[in-house]
Amino acid sequence: MLLSKGFEVEMYTGTPQGNIVGLSDKIVADLDGFVTEPDSRNVEYTTAPLCSYDRLLCALVRPRQRLRSYLQRLGDYTIIPGSTLSLGGSDRFYRSDPNNPYHSYIENTYGTNVVTASIHINIGISNPEALMRAIRLIRLEAPLYLALTASSPFLDSRPTGYHSTRWGLFPKTPAYVPLFESHAHFIRWTEDQLAAGTMQNVRHLWSSVRPNGNRRPYDLNRLELRICDLIVDPIGLLAVTALLEARLWQLMADPSLDPLEKSLLSSEDLIAIADANEVAAARQSLDASLRHWQDGREILARDWIMEIYQEVSPFAKKQGFGCFLSPLKKILREGNTATQWLKLHEQGLDTRRIIAQAIQATLLQELELEDKLCQLLVA
């Protein structure tokens, strides 16, 4: 039995020319399964927790098909790839719910640095101490998942110097998050943050990875990886997810992979390394020079990913999802979205043309996937 997996998918809407247009109020009112974000220019849908990768693929694609069909009824609108306001609009916040006090706090505190689109990957782990062990390992390796998914090199029509402008600018909150030694530690820390006001509510833990569940911080049932940029290729997203799941199977088979047990470094050093690696991955993604959590040695992100790929591949094959892991090599070979877009920019294409081409390519890819893979599940 595979682990359950689900996605929270944030996407921008707008014109085929790449202009982002806020339509979330209309979408949420008329389409089941979609929810608003604080800014109306992006909208979110969530997939149910599923174990099967085949079913996950359809759960990713079919809501987008429904959304595209609805957008066409509204006018000449579509879904826009990327994780930032690539072509403009970062000077204004377009509130989706002006009367929501939490949204007011977000706008007044962070501005448009939080107006981003991303993928949150949720993996079901019901045992709270096993979950905390997984959180510790994945926090130290979260920059690798950012490196694979970076898709926000532009802001307001210009390259920013980041491959993931989203994570480079995103206000991680609270500023300091410990490596949680136990579930009890997480509960105490969360209660302290709420009392101090550094977190407004239990959802206000904006870190690369966090425990999640029905009644946080007490009732937890899943790991939520939050660092990933929006990766619109569903096959690529499932490959990234397969890497994460296979790594967790490896950890369950060998709990000594826990950084608090395996690393030669102190807990404080590990936190510093994790934070520095996130910054480096946001800037250079697959070509970033990182420090390994086991001993502090320097290693390129792409080399570290390949090391883990080779370690976890037997676990993926044993559990029957090895074929979904293998497309990861294509990302390493051809580059992530950010590196592909920057290459086109270096060749002379302006940002608007790059985004417009990506919009069309995404549409064609989803149509192909719908035809090939979802027809058997049509009831």
Side-chain angles (χ1 to χ4, degrees):
M1 185 70 172
L2 298 182
L3 300 176
S4 65
K5 298 164 286 288
F7 302 104
E8 300 162 57
V9 185
E10 301 164 356
M11 308 186 87
Y12 294 113
T13 56
T15 70
Q17 295 75 37
N19 296 319
I20 295 174
V21 180
L23 300 167
S24 66
D25 56 338
K26 296 180 175 64
I27 295 166
V28 172
D30 294 338
L31 287 185
D32 290 336
F34 289 86
V35 297
T36 59
E37 291 290 300
D39 189 287
S40 66
R41 287 171 288 188
N42 53 19
V43 69
E44 177 182 309
Y45 71 92
T46 303
T47 67
L50 298 168
C51 296
S52 162
Y53 279 86
D54 289 314
R55 294 184 65 197
L56 268 176
L57 183 56
C58 291
L60 280 170
V61 173
R62 296 176 85 178
R64 296 186 196 178
Q65 296 288 0
R66 291 172 49 230
L67 178 57
R68 287 184 185 281
S69 177
Y70 175 77
L71 291 173
Q72 284 294 300
R73 296 202 300 272
L74 291 181
D76 191 18
Y77 298 120
T78 188
I79 295 168
I80 299 180
S83 278
T84 47
L85 299 163
S86 297
L87 300 182
S90 71
D91 59 327
R92 280 194 60 190
F93 208 102
Y94 293 82
R95 287 281 293 276
S96 62
D97 182 359
N99 298 318
N100 187 314
Y102 183 45
H103 290 187
S104 296
Y105 173 84
I106 289 172
E107 178 185 3
N108 294 332
T109 306
Y110 308 113
T112 55
N113 282 353
V114 298
V115 184
T116 64
S118 66
I119 294 276
H120 296 181
I121 305 173
N122 290 270
I123 308 284
I125 302 175
S126 57
N127 181 289
E129 298 308 328
L131 174 58
M132 290 300 155
R133 189 181 304 117
I135 293 288
R136 291 192 290 270
L137 175 62
I138 301 307
R139 178 170 176 193
L140 270 299
E141 296 178 356
L144 305 178
Y145 297 91
L146 178 61
L148 286 164
T149 62
S151 65
S152 51
F154 306 131
L155 184 68
D156 294 334
S157 298
R158 294 185 297 272
T160 62
Y162 289 100
H163 288 192
S164 173
T165 303
R166 166 186 162 268
W167 200 250
L169 301 180
F170 197 83
K172 295 180 280 292
T173 305
Y176 175 86
V177 179
L179 278 181
F180 300 114
E181 298 172 4
S182 64
H183 185 203
H185 181 197
F186 177 62
I187 291 172
R188 289 195 306 272
W189 180 84
T190 302
E191 291 174 341
D192 289 345
Q193 304 311 304
L194 294 172
T198 52
M199 288 170 56
Q200 296 296 299
N201 53 53
V202 294
R203 293 178 295 150
H204 196 203
L205 172 52
W206 295 348
S207 56
S208 59
V209 60
R210 71 182 182 189
N212 207 339
N214 299 323
R215 196 169 67 92
R216 291 171 280 180
Y218 311 105
D219 181 10
L220 305 173
N221 62 9
R222 62 190 183 273
L223 174 150
E224 180 189 356
L225 182 64
R226 300 169 49 84
I227 199 172
C228 294
D229 271 11
L230 174 63
I231 177 169
V232 293
D233 172 14
I235 300 297
L237 174 56
L238 291 185
V240 172
T241 305
L243 180 72
L244 175 59
E245 179 174 5
R247 188 62 159 163
L248 294 176
W249 279 108
Q250 182 187 18
L251 176 63
M252 288 185 286
D254 180 12
S256 72
L257 270 176
D258 184 344
L260 290 183
E261 183 173 345
K262 194 83 165 181
S263 179
L264 302 177
L265 308 172
S266 70
S267 178
E268 290 304 309
D269 285 341
L270 289 174
I271 293 168
I273 283 177
D275 291 344
N277 284 349
E278 287 182 24
V279 173
R283 288 200 175 275
Q284 292 184 284
S285 66
L286 293 170
D287 295 317
S289 179
L290 309 179
R291 290 182 62 198
H292 200 295
W293 59 262
Q294 288 189 353
D295 54 12
R297 71 183 183 275
E298 290 193 9
I299 184 170
L300 285 179
R302 62 173 65 251
D303 294 338
W304 192 353
I305 292 165
M306 182 51 67
E307 281 186 9
I308 293 177
Y309 178 96
Q310 292 170 343
E311 285 184 35
V312 305
S313 185
F315 293 90
K317 290 176 181 176
K318 181 180 179 180
Q319 297 294 336
F321 62 92
C323 62
F324 288 96
L325 175 64
S326 58
L328 205 72
K329 289 184 175 179
K330 181 181 179 182
I331 301 176
L332 293 174
R333 184 174 64 250
E334 298 182 3
N336 56 35
T337 298
T339 55
Q340 292 177 13
W341 286 1
L342 286 170
K343 185 176 181 180
L344 291 172
H345 193 267
E346 290 166 3
Q347 293 170 353
L349 269 69
D350 63 32
T351 53
R352 182 169 296 279
R353 186 175 175 190
I354 292 168
I355 299 300
Q357 288 182 354
I359 289 169
Q360 184 63 21
T362 301
L363 169 61
L364 295 175
Q365 180 185 55
E366 287 175 13
L367 289 172
E368 182 180 359
L369 287 171
E370 177 78 7
D371 289 341
K372 287 185 176 180
L373 298 167
C374 293
Q375 56 189 335
L376 295 178
L377 295 182
V378 175

